[in-house]
Amino acid sequence: MALLAPPPSFSPADSAHAVATVYTASLLALVPVALAAVIAFALRRSNAQGRALAWRSAVVVLLLIVVGRQFPLHWMAWVVPAALAAPLVALGRVQVTSVSVALGGGQSSTAVMGVAAMIFFVYAAGVVGVLASTVTGLWRARRIRQRARPADASWERAVDEARATLGIRRRIRVLVSRDVSVPLTWGYWRPVIILPAALPRWTAYERRLVMLHEAEHARSGDWLFALAARAACALYWFHPAAWWTANQLRADCELACDERVVAAGVRCSDYADLLVRAADALAMSRNADTLPALALSRRGGLRTRLAALLDARREVRPLARRWAAAATAATVIASAPLTAIELAPTRDVLTTLMRDARWESRAYAVLGLAQRPDSIAVARSAAALDPSPRVREWARYALDRHAMPAPSPISSTHR
């Protein structure tokens, strides 16, 4: 809910507001993750591309929820029940107290304000930590690419054949490096497939399988969405749903590439044998899982991939383009309201707070009640009768700020 503009420096009110913003974003994040989980469950026997699209949409919405918090106009949703409203109320107390102190109208509780600042800086440290590990991985992958040498003509022919099969127009470079133990795909606009220098004696048929899998990663833009998922994990590092979504996205992207290889006419048993051998090679590598690249095979999830390959009931036909368009449209439709929503406690929670002995609770509550047409009478009563002069002042401020000819659902929030 809107408060008076805080002082220019980063005050406890700023910290409390930032923490409240993160908290409401984490509540909203449950919506796209739950929706994607329902879609993935419904498609569990269908094409993995459909599940991957659902997880991609969830990742995009997770990012847009945070971006939407930075815009000044929001639609207030008075839906947070008492069980979930306690953090918002506590942070609201910090905000009204901090602003009152800054304006010379009250005394602060250093301990309470310090907790809000500490929570914010712990959150910021978590974001920086996850982003730092991602940037380090990108730097290492770039160094590996720079030190790699071009692959021989047989691999170039294999990737050209894969591009033709998958309908890929942009060029895909194939490099060889001593720093990787399994084939990896890196980049989106200029994709690169990096092969291990200690290559097994793969036949031309097996080289075709490898290139089909890695080229499908490039065609689908899996590397770009993997980075987006990593950014979502940084912003929601404390949220298990964000990490679970990223893991599900990676797993279903691998399954989708496997299915695309099989759909190209490859025997499932041949491809499963190749995955097992690639996973054995990966077990000897110490850095493949830390690079922001997409490997042919990982130890984790290999059993699931093999079971999916050998499951005759699964559908492996490529996903029609209309489903990709539908997923994009669903992302836009779902993200628009979520980015514009600002969550607030229910009316019952706010009216209950008006009986709280602490003036800070009543001041926070009156700010919300003054915005609701069905509660303006309570705010007016507080402006005239509340025993605390600070609550009466906050009530008059809120009533003046939100006085308008007709009620509006749009609330402008000071940043």
Side-chain angles (χ1 to χ4, degrees), residues 145 172-175 184-188 190-194 218:
R145 188 188 66 176
I172 300 177
R173 296 176 62 199
V174 183
L175 304 176
L184 302 171
T185 299
W186 193 87
Y188 175 70
R190 297 178 180 177
V192 175
I193 297 174
I194 304 177

Side-chain angles (χ1 to χ4, degrees), residues 116-142:
M118 181 184 68
I119 293 174
F120 171 73
F121 285 113
V122 168
Y123 168 74
V127 173
V128 172
V130 177
L131 289 179
S133 66
T134 304
V135 171
T136 300
L138 287 171
W139 177 79
R140 291 179 59 211
R142 184 179 179 84

Side-chain angles (χ1 to χ4, degrees), residues 56-259:
R56 287 176 183 174
S57 298
V59 167
V60 172
V61 175
L62 287 177
L63 295 176
L64 290 177
I65 286 173
V66 176
V67 173
R69 305 300 95 195
Q70 313 311 312
F71 293 100
L73 297 180
H74 293 112
W75 172 59
M76 298 298 296
W78 311 90
V79 297
V80 183
L84 299 176
L88 292 177
V89 173
L91 293 165
R93 293 191 194 110
V94 173
Q95 292 183 75
V96 296
T97 303
S98 177
V99 173
S100 295
V101 170
L103 298 176
Q107 295 180 344
S108 66
S109 172
T110 305
V112 174
M113 293 188 178
V115 169
M118 181 184 68
I119 293 174
F120 171 73
F121 285 113
V122 168
Y123 168 74
V127 173
V128 172
V130 177
L131 289 179
S133 66
T134 304
V135 171
T136 300
L138 287 171
W139 177 79
R140 291 179 59 211
R142 184 179 179 84
R143 289 289 304 274
I144 289 174
R145 188 188 66 176
Q146 290 174 342
R147 292 196 299 262
R149 68 177 190 274
D152 60 37
S154 63
W155 286 103
E156 292 291 346
R157 287 193 297 270
V159 76
D160 288 342
E161 182 183 347
R163 287 173 54 213
T165 301
L166 299 174
I168 302 174
R169 294 184 178 180
R170 62 183 183 273
R171 178 173 180 260
I172 300 177
R173 296 176 62 199
V174 183
L175 304 176
V176 177
S177 172
R178 296 180 179 178
D179 299 314
V180 300
S181 58
V182 290
L184 302 171
T185 299
W186 193 87
Y188 175 70
W189 289 276
R190 297 178 180 177
V192 175
I193 297 174
I194 304 177
L195 304 171
L199 284 171
R201 292 185 177 180
W202 280 333
T203 64
Y205 176 67
E206 290 172 330
R207 286 196 293 268
R208 175 173 176 263
L209 305 190
V210 171
M211 290 295 103
L212 278 171
H213 180 97
E214 299 301 330
E216 176 62 17
H217 276 309
R219 188 195 69 83
S220 302
D222 290 340
W223 182 83
L224 191 63
F225 281 101
L227 284 187
R230 190 68 178 177
C233 288
L235 294 171
Y236 299 90
W237 62 265
F238 58 92
H239 206 313
W243 294 95
W244 181 69
T245 300
N247 288 334
Q248 294 299 313
L249 172 62
R250 184 171 72 176
D252 278 325
C253 283
E254 293 298 335
L255 286 173
C257 290
D258 293 344
E259 291 177 354

